[in-house]
Amino acid sequence: MTVEKIMSDGEGYDDFPAGLRVLAVDDNPICLKLLETLLRKCQYHVTTTSQARMALKMLRENKDRFDLVISDVHMPDMDGFKLLELVGLEMDLPVIMLSENGDPKLVMKGVTHGACDYLVKPVRIEELRNIWQHVIRKKRTKPKNQHGSADQGNDNQSSGEGNGPHADRNGKCNRKRKDEEDFSEDNENENEDPAASKKPRVVWSIELHRKFVAAVSQLGIEKAVPKRILDLMNVEGLTRENVASHLQKYRLYLKRISSVASQQANMVAALGVKDSHFMRMAPFEGLGDFRPLSGQGRLGSAALSHYTTGGMFGRLNTPNVNLHNLSPSTLIQPNHGQNITNSISALGKVHPALASTNQSQSLFQGIPSSLELDQLQQIKCGTGMASFNAMDNSRLRNKFSDPGAAINSSSNIFNSSTNMMLHGSYQQTMSGGGFGDQSSQNMASLNLDSFNVSVNSSSRLLDSATIQSSTTQPASLLSTEPFHSQPLPMSTTGNNGFSNDPYLQKNAIDISSTTMSLPLEDSREMHYQQGLVGDIPSQRWGEQGQSYGHGSTATFGSLNAHIPVSGLSHSLDHDSGIINEKMGVFTNGRLGGGASTLMLQNGNEKLASESRGMANDSFLLEQQKIQSVFAPRSDDPLDAMMNAMIKREQEETIANCDFGFDEYSFESGM
Amino acid sequence: MQRQLANMKQTLFDQGYLDEQFIQLEELQDDANPNFVEEVVTLYYRDSARLIQNIEQALEKSPLDFSKLECLMHQFKGSSSSIGAKRVKSECTQFKEHCRVGNADGCKRTFQQLKKEYATLKKKVEVYFQFARQIGPVEKACRSK
């Protein structure tokens, strides 16, 4: 593919790479000036801003205005990683991270959040002369992403992996893959859209997604086939393929949510939240049984029973079925156990799919150390949407380009259902994950934390994010035991709940392990878990869910954090915009990497918003609760956690529910 | 004259006040950007004066907010490294390390040291620029390394 062809969608550079339109973001004026001069020297068109929010605003105003974004990592108004995720999710532009610090962990974080490259300051001009390759690479993979083929996933991965020094290597891989893709791309294009040379991306706006969800619920998640959904939706210009891929994402999302939802469901039920997602959380209560410790108790028997109820589980087990279970309508059912398992299984399931994609791997590159790939996948599955998104990041992004609806399928669901749900579900997922023991940790982390954690180079996120809010307490608790003991309460205890859903168990474990795996590895992980757990309960339900979905749990964390009940208020204040963005970003399929970023960001933000107090306080409470739950844990830390989480969620959901919506609306407003 | 200028610069390098990055700055200076280096350095002075003030205020609090200090210092370090202020940068690194371990005394001590280095650098660079200006608009001095 020649450069001209690549640029055929309107840019038409005469002598590329000259004229590349770069947006540079750095709060340090000297660095910014230097960067600007360097870029001008390379003959690029440079626009600078010292504020991340301004950058986002500019990007949102006109998505075609820039080809590439370079951003510093440490910025006062917004974490660079968060910006990275948002940009990736919403605009799908290549983003290069800049930092003083070349610490591999940070670099990893950048990668998992979807950065195309990571440069260390002070930047040399030679390094900047090559950044245009990322633009080309992204363009090459973009159309394919829509198809969401595994290849694309790989491609995305490779793009994401293009850390500075390894750019060459990645470039080669990408090129190779691109060639393959080009082939299939052409074919696909032909098949799917013979009329146009390039298939236009479908933007899954909120409206569109609502229609989609309505159609799906009308048909019943099990019967929802793309063709029928398409007919029901009756939208012009929408193809079956669009619906199919969106459905896939949605299913992943549901899975993710359901695991979180289980926990939340309990809460939701208590709160009376209508969100199905929350309902899903309820099952989590069942998990609570695992841990008699948890005072919360809710989770206890109820959850278990739910889990055992094979009804949902059974469905969960089946890869697709899980999704079905997750469908909002089904979710509502208090299949606590199921939800969780579903989510877990969903995770597990998803992850095979995801596993295939390199994305999952890339997402969890940092994490997988301890986790097996499976776990990662599972986690991914958990993140379901996230992972899925990872695969189709670009695709998802396309789909969910709408910021409001940014939340990719998963998010959309959330959006439609309510932010709360997300939160809840997320939290659940998280809590579930968190509870899990080490393996379960993964689980817990699965929800959000795990991903985030793992993604975030494990402790980093956790430490910052989780700890952010009040995590101090819970973190400690979580880190040590709960997670370990509850691999997923389901899974460890032999998947009590998941008996029906062996898959879940596996997933749960995987998830926890994967997610947690990272955290497990070191104390940091614990924090992460804690953060997750803590986060979930108080703040980040949403985030958790997200993080879970995304490889980038980080994002979730942040999202959740924001969304979470307590966190919501904060997040709203603080990063309402961000949260929304996160959500959007989150959903956009950045999940894989972006999500984590988001989460991370959220986490970071949350930390920042510690002062917010609201969330923190509640969070602290929650955390304490969880902690107590966890501490004792011997075998069911997860349960305890779950209970705690659920409880928290419930408490929070009530509070958060409002927020959730607010946030959402905020998002929409954005 | 030019040689004198070059020698001055070389001395600065030898004494460790400036490093490679400064040369990069100079290379960016061209017809389109004739006073680039001076502009950047001036910007640096302004920004770092602000940062120094903030840090000083923060150091007066008790107990010290190490994370905030670290954050401020991070910015300082960033700008310093962007212009190639080597010694100042290393003081920044030390300061950050003290923050990391929570060593209040170490922070204060290092900060004093940092201020000294910063003042010295500023003076020396000022002299350098004055001299350069006197010489008149000349092509940038050749690399003195």
Side-chain angles (χ1 to χ4, degrees), chain A residues 317-380:
Chain A
N317 289 332
T318 47
N320 291 331
V321 176
N322 289 334
L323 287 177
H324 292 316
N325 289 335
L326 295 175
S327 63
S329 50
T330 49
L331 288 175
I332 301 192
Q333 296 168 27
N335 290 323
H336 302 297
Q338 289 190 349
N339 288 337
I340 303 189
T341 46
N342 283 338
S343 40
I344 300 182
S345 51
L347 290 176
K349 289 200 202 245
V350 175
H351 97 165
L354 294 173
S356 57
T357 56
N358 298 332
Q359 288 188 344
S360 45
Q361 297 198 353
S362 52
L363 286 179
F364 301 95
Q365 279 177 0
I367 314 178
S369 53
S370 55
L371 301 172
E372 303 169 49
L373 193 54
D374 265 1
Q375 291 184 333
L376 283 178
Q377 294 188 339
Q378 292 201 342
I379 299 187
K380 288 213 215 170

Side-chain angles (χ1 to χ4, degrees), chain B residues 46-64:
Chain B
R46 222 183 315 143
D47 191 56
S48 39
R50 178 184 61 86
L51 282 169
I52 287 179
Q53 202 181 18
N54 288 346
I55 294 175
E56 249 166 358
Q57 282 176 359
L59 279 175
E60 278 163 21
K61 300 215 175 106
S62 171
L64 290 187

